[in-house]
Amino acid sequence: PKRRKGKGKGNTAAQKKAAAQKKAVDEQTLSPKLQGTFRSVIKAYESKAYKKGLKHADAILKINQHHGETLAMKGLLMKNTEPPEGMDEKTHWARAEELLKLGIQHNMKSPVCWH
């Protein structure tokens, strides 16, 4: 029997690309419980409870460290807080900007990331 091209056991470039895209989508999807926690992050930001929002964002990032919207929100929350003791403002704000950029890189289509 003749073998067709692309039908073997090896992964083709298209299959690898599709698998990478599926993984990226999975990383941007939160479980229902984490979706509720993310809503708490947004509510904390809107009510100017920035430290509370940072705690909720850290809880999400412990489970899904590549969630773009959470990374962006954490950066935004950090931009609105004073640096912790022992850290200068320049370093604190540079870290916040880094998180904002990471959030956009992980989820470029999200309006939350571009906020």
Side-chain angles (χ1 to χ4, degrees), residues 23-67:
K23 182 181 178 188
V25 168
D26 290 344
E27 289 177 342
Q28 300 311 311
T29 305
L30 295 175
S31 68
K33 181 181 177 184
L34 290 179
Q35 286 175 4
T37 306
F38 184 73
R39 281 191 295 274
S40 298
V41 172
I42 292 175
K43 286 179 185 177
Y45 174 75
E46 290 172 347
S47 63
K48 297 183 180 183
Y50 303 126
K51 287 185 181 184
K52 183 178 179 181
L54 282 169
K55 287 180 184 179
H56 289 299
D58 285 337
I60 294 170
L61 292 172
K62 277 185 183 177
I63 297 168
N64 186 349
Q65 62 194 17
H66 299 292
H67 188 249

